[in-house]
């Protein structure tokens, strides 16, 4: 996703992901402080630059509520 509400962002750190080295920051719920995913701060490979500034929410942290599927 491209924007967020009630989500905080931690400090950026370098991580090797499946698509290479990236500087990412964990994102978390402002209410319960649960880590939800991460934000791409910087991509070191030119082919991955399109990810910069975008957010990833891990499916494992999604909670079904109000009957949505």
């Amino acid at each position: 996703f491209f924007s967020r509400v009630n989500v905080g962002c931690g400090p950026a750190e370098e991580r090797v992901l499946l698509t290479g080295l990236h500087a990412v920051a964990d994102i978390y719920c402002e209410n319960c402080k649960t880590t939800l995913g991460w934000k791409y701060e910087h991509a070191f490979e030119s082919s991955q630059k399109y990810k910069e500034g975008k957010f990833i929410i891990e499916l494992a942290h999604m909670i079904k509520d109000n009957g949505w599927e």
Side-chain angles (χ1 to χ4, degrees), residues 30-50:
E30 286 284 359
N31 294 320
C32 68
K33 305 301 182 200
T34 299
T35 300
L36 303 171
W38 65 88
K39 176 185 178 186
Y40 287 100
E41 297 287 350
H42 178 70
F44 293 93
E45 296 180 24
S46 60
S47 65
Q48 300 297 309
K49 291 284 187 187
Y50 71 95

Side-chain angles (χ1 to χ4, degrees), residues 4-69:
R4 57 188 172 33
V5 176
N6 296 329
V7 175
C9 195
E13 61 182 41
E14 293 182 6
R15 293 187 194 157
V16 178
L17 304 174
L18 292 175
T19 56
L21 181 64
H22 299 274
V24 298
D26 286 338
I27 57 173
Y28 56 89
C29 172
E30 286 284 359
N31 294 320
C32 68
K33 305 301 182 200
T34 299
T35 300
L36 303 171
W38 65 88
K39 176 185 178 186
Y40 287 100
E41 297 287 350
H42 178 70
F44 293 93
E45 296 180 24
S46 60
S47 65
Q48 300 297 309
K49 291 284 187 187
Y50 71 95
K51 295 179 180 180
E52 291 179 351
K54 296 193 173 74
F55 301 85
I56 299 293
I57 293 182
E58 295 177 317
L59 186 58
H61 299 298
M62 301 290 286
I63 298 172
K64 182 178 179 179
D65 194 15
N66 297 325
W68 61 267
E69 296 182 17

